[in-house]
Amino acid sequence: MIKISPSVLAADLSRLADEVAEIEAAGADMVHLDVMDGVFVTNITFGLPVIESLRKKTGITFDVHLMIDKPERYVERFIDAGADILTFHVEACEDTAKTLKAIKARGCLAAVSVKPNTPVEDIYEYLDLCDMVLVMTVEPGYGGQALIPECLEKVKSLRREITARGLDIMIQVDGGINTKNAPDAIAAGADVLVAGSAVFSASNKAEAIRALRG
Ligand code: DX5
Ligand code: ZN
């Protein structure tokens, strides 16, 4: 079953808890929380206190996407704040294997992500430690961008590798996913779709989530 993880970057952040309750009622499997530090990416969003406060308001799975430099410094604190799935970027991390292990040791699902220009083969050596891999389909930093179709080729290669090695790993795609290109992402092998604008700008969010699932 394809899972949908709406990104609150496209939500009305002054009503964050209500927006999350709304997507949960609309059938979202989890909520995608984009943490940006102004260093690894140029944009700055929100961090630990926001996630911690939101955790008190909802039981939905928190899919936390760290776009921060040296994420290994903060994984413990994001898990304490309420992350259920914690994703960090291989490009930003000084010891990917150690960081994945540290996340898993806490009973949190561990995921590593690659930017559009990073070969997906760069993370193959870590696959045994991953519960999920996030293949970015836009340059991280901003919501509302158009999907880069070449990134779906990386999803295909990764799916082949995971199957060949008999692993059970989710593949998440993030950036510019909409009802038009979701079937391509699913056909390429993605099973968790992040969608910001496509869900939060829809007048009927339940319908948007259903349509993305295909
Ligand atoms: C981009 C973020 C995405 C983004 C997705 O850096 O990681 O999660 O918010 O938003 P849309 O679906 O609007 O591209
Ligand atoms: Zn994201």
Side-chain angles (χ1 to χ4, degrees):
M1 170 84 155
I2 302 301
K3 292 187 167 66
I4 306 299
S5 185
S7 164
V8 298
L9 215 52
D12 174 355
L13 291 173
S14 72
R15 304 176 48 247
L16 186 53
D18 293 342
E19 292 273 64
V20 172
E22 211 182 312
I23 55 150
E24 187 173 18
D29 299 280
M30 52 186 95
V31 61
H32 187 81
L33 299 164
D34 284 306
V35 177
M36 305 188 191
D37 67 351
V39 179
F40 179 67
V41 291
T42 52
N43 202 5
I44 298 177
T45 54
F46 50 79
L48 291 160
V50 170
I51 293 175
E52 208 177 338
S53 313
L54 187 63
R55 185 71 290 174
K56 298 189 181 103
K57 305 278 183 183
T58 172
I60 195 171
T61 298
F62 279 6
D63 167 34
V64 177
H65 178 191
L66 298 180
M67 283 161 279
I68 65 174
D69 193 39
K70 300 190 180 64
E72 58 275 14
R73 296 173 296 165
Y74 290 103
V75 294
E76 297 286 343
R77 291 175 67 191
F78 277 100
I79 295 167
D80 290 340
D84 298 294
I85 306 174
L86 192 55
T87 303
F88 64 91
H89 275 265
V90 68
E91 303 91 350
C93 188
E94 288 187 345
D95 192 335
T96 297
K98 191 175 168 193
T99 306
L100 287 166
K101 281 181 200 158
I103 297 171
K104 288 171 79 75
R106 292 285 311 274
C108 182
L109 298 184
V112 71
S113 179
V114 284
K115 297 203 284 183
N117 291 328
T118 303
V120 72
E121 291 76 15
D122 283 12
I123 57 102
Y124 284 3
E125 63 183 291
Y126 309 116
L127 282 181
D128 290 319
L129 297 169
C130 293
D131 296 295
M132 185 175 86
V133 175
L134 165 52
V135 177
M136 288 303 299
T137 42
V138 299
E139 206 52 59
Y142 296 89
Q145 305 180 70
L147 173 138
I148 303 166
E150 291 75 32
C151 295
L152 295 183
E153 295 305 315
K154 293 162 67 176
V155 174
K156 285 183 196 161
S157 307
L158 176 61
R159 181 51 75 195
R160 273 197 300 272
E161 180 73 11
I162 289 172
T163 305
R165 286 168 58 175
L167 298 169
D168 180 19
I169 300 176
M170 296 180 282
I171 302 181
Q172 183 175 66
V173 285
D174 180 12
I177 301 291
N178 56 36
T179 50
K180 271 205 175 120
N181 57 34
D184 299 334
I186 294 166
D191 44 22
V192 186
L193 310 183
V194 175
S197 330
V199 170
F200 284 100
S201 66
S203 49
N204 184 335
K205 295 186 176 68
E207 185 48 48
I209 289 169
R210 253 196 309 278
L212 284 166
R213 252 191 213 112

